[in-house]
């Protein structure tokens, strides 16, 4: 059976780089369920003093399987291993835009771009036809300065974000408008007040764009929306069952999340207990919700219970339970994915 090795993408973040091989193993196992070939023997190996992730395939990887695996979050290069020789395998990642869309913005508390891609990947893989040609609708209801929104652009998805922080809204508006202009991307942009039933909820930014002139002329555009609003108003500003995936990095215990009713809520436990049912209402049946969070302030079993009470089916066991990793001394990050039943 063919053997392959993956060279892990180098990371500027030393702590995340140390975790990347283990995270890649778990992500690869979840990708494996969507492939026509069966993967086995996923492990870390060292070849010539360099670390790789090795796996065995039940048959040679075909074009469709390679297209899927090309999107692994930490994949830097893929090789077929035979007779002690590494033969490069061409990969075709689904990157619709230049990578600087993800890397230009630098700020304290920014989620690692590779981890954001991993979280989006495994959430998409919990849905039917995860990387279909028909663009899905993504929501990040705690979007901050838009790392998840930018990854959605990279994948050609429609994207909506909510965040209550006015400074984050203004920073993202300035960044994305400048990026689109500098890249000469055909687009329209409109911003203004966000109101529902004559009540001002915040502000909104609406962008419609196409990354090629041909797509723009043909009407093959994507929509990007940012609401500067309380995440607990998600079901007021979006239609029920309108999102295919919800992907968010929850507060780690030091950031805000919601201003509604009781004032500023700093507890991820309180925030998620209140927000998950709201988010679930805008998730379509068969859609998936992926959350990353700090397990030192909210045990996994408590978050799983919140998701189940909202009527979601949680993916558990096997590789789904192998994403815990250290961010710093106070943050032990994990992720959980849950699916809204189709009926």
């Amino acid at each position: 059976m063919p053997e392959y090795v993956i060279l892990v993408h180098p990371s500027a973040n030393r702590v995340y780089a140390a975790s990347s091989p283990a995270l890649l193993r778990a992500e690869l196992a979840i990708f494996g369920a969507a492939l026509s070939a069966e993967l086995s023997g996923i492990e870390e190996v060292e070849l010539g003093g360099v670390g790789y992730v090795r796996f065995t395939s039940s048959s040679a990887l075909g074009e469709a399987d390679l297209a899927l695996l090309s999107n692994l979050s930490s994949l830097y290069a893929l090789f077929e291993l035979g007779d002690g020789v590494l033969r490069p395998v061409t990969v075709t990642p689904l990157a619709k835009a230049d990578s600087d869309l993800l890397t230009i913005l630098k700020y304290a508390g920014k989620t690692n771009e590779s981890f954001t891609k991993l979280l989006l990947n495994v959430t998409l893989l919990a849905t039917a036809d995860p990387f279909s040609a028909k663009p899905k609708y993504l929501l990040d209801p705690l979007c901050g300065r838009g790392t998840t929104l930018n990854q959605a652009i990279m994948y050609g998805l429609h994207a909506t974000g909510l965040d209550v922080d006015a400074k984050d809204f203004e920073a993202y508006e300035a960044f994305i408008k400048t990026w689109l202009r500098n890249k000469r991307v055909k687009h329209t942009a409109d911003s203004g007040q966000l109101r529902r039933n004559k009540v001002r909820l915040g502000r909104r930014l609406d962008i419609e764009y196409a990354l090629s002139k041909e797509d723009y002329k043909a009407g093959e555009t994507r929509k990007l929306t940012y609401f500067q609003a309380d995440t607990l108003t998600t079901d007021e500003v979006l239609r029920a069952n309108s999102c295919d995936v919800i992907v968010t990095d929850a507060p780690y215990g030091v950031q805000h999340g919601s201003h509604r009713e009781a004032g500023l809520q700093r507890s991820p436990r309180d925030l998620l207990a209140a927000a998950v049912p709201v988010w679930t209402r805008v998730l379509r049946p068969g859609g998936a919700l992926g959350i990353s969070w700090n397990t030192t302030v909210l045990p996994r079993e408590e978050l799983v219970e919140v998701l189940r009470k909202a009527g979601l089916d949680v993916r558990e066991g096997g590789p789904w339970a192998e994403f815990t990793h250290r961010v710093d001394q106070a943050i032990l990050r994990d992720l959980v994915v849950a699916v809204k039943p189709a009926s």
Side-chain angles (χ1 to χ4, degrees):
M1 293 189 292
E3 281 191 316
Y4 297 87
V5 294
I6 297 170
L7 180 61
V8 180
H9 200 289
S11 173
N13 184 308
R14 177 183 58 80
V15 176
Y16 191 80
S19 302
S20 293
L23 293 173
L24 178 58
R25 290 201 323 265
E27 183 186 10
L28 178 58
I30 291 172
F31 264 89
L35 304 179
S36 58
E38 183 177 344
L39 307 187
S40 61
I42 300 172
E43 61 180 352
E44 295 176 46
V45 297
E46 188 174 292
L47 301 173
V50 177
Y52 295 83
V53 171
R54 179 172 62 190
F55 65 94
T56 300
S57 175
S58 60
S59 60
L61 295 174
E63 184 177 345
D65 285 351
L66 284 171
L68 272 176
L69 291 180
S70 295
N71 297 303
L72 284 161
S73 62
S74 293
L75 184 148
Y76 191 54
L78 176 65
F79 302 91
E80 186 173 0
L81 178 62
D83 300 323
V85 176
L86 298 180
R87 298 181 179 86
V89 177
T90 300
V91 293
T92 55
L94 185 62
K96 301 289 188 180
D98 295 337
S99 62
D100 61 0
L101 175 62
L102 299 170
T103 58
I104 288 176
L105 269 179
K106 305 291 185 183
Y107 53 91
K110 180 181 180 180
T111 305
N112 183 282
E113 298 95 347
S114 293
F115 180 76
T116 297
K117 185 177 181 180
L118 184 155
L119 179 60
L120 176 54
N121 281 347
V122 297
T123 306
L124 284 169
L125 286 162
T127 69
D129 199 12
F131 292 91
S132 63
K134 182 180 179 181
K136 285 181 162 58
Y137 286 80
L138 172 143
L139 166 67
D140 182 349
L142 299 167
C143 68
R145 298 195 183 185
T147 304
T148 303
L149 303 182
N150 292 341
Q151 182 57 55
I153 293 173
M154 295 292 288
Y155 275 175
L157 309 178
H158 299 288
T160 299
L162 279 89
D163 204 282
V164 74
D165 192 309
K167 290 183 179 179
D168 283 348
F169 175 87
E170 291 162 1
Y172 187 72
E173 179 179 22
F175 165 75
I176 196 63
K177 285 182 175 180
T178 300
W179 187 88
L180 290 167
R181 287 196 301 270
N182 289 345
K183 295 293 181 177
R184 298 184 178 180
V185 174
K186 295 286 289 183
H187 69 281
T188 60
D190 183 50
S191 57
Q193 300 296 314
L194 173 63
R195 297 181 181 274
R196 287 294 183 273
N197 300 320
K198 300 182 179 180
V199 176
R200 183 183 181 276
L201 300 179
R203 290 179 288 176
R204 66 180 297 154
L205 170 67
D206 295 292
I207 294 174
E208 187 169 0
Y209 68 94
L211 292 172
S212 74
K213 293 180 181 179
E214 293 76 17
D215 284 346
Y216 196 84
K217 289 180 180 178
E220 295 292 330
T221 58
R222 301 292 185 266
K223 293 182 179 179
L224 172 66
T225 302
Y226 192 138
F227 297 114
Q228 186 259 308
D230 192 312
T231 194
L232 298 185
T233 66
T234 297
D235 60 347
E236 298 176 39
V237 299
L238 294 176
R239 300 189 319 274
N241 305 324
S242 60
C243 300
D244 296 293
V245 289
I246 299 175
V247 176
T248 198
D249 189 25
Y252 294 156
V254 294
Q255 299 173 344
H256 67 276
S258 169
H259 282 293
R260 173 159 284 196
E261 297 175 358
L264 191 66
Q265 295 184 13
R266 296 188 182 275
S267 164
R269 177 184 288 104
D270 295 340
L271 171 63
L272 292 172
V276 166
V278 176
W279 300 342
T280 300
R281 286 194 278 275
V282 304
L283 184 65
R284 69 165 180 81
L289 166 62
I291 302 175
S292 59
W293 84 104
N294 182 10
T295 64
T296 63
V297 297
L298 178 61
R300 183 182 183 90
E301 57 270 19
E302 291 190 25
L303 180 53
V304 167
E305 184 60 23
V306 168
L307 295 167
R308 285 176 173 159
K309 284 184 177 178
L312 301 174
D313 293 333
V314 180
R315 295 290 184 262
E316 292 192 278
W320 298 101
E322 297 174 2
F323 289 106
T324 306
H325 62 286
R326 179 72 59 183
V327 176
D328 61 29
Q329 289 186 344
I331 300 172
L332 185 65
R333 184 165 57 192
D334 199 357
L335 66 83
V336 64
V337 174
V339 176
K340 188 173 182 178
S343 58

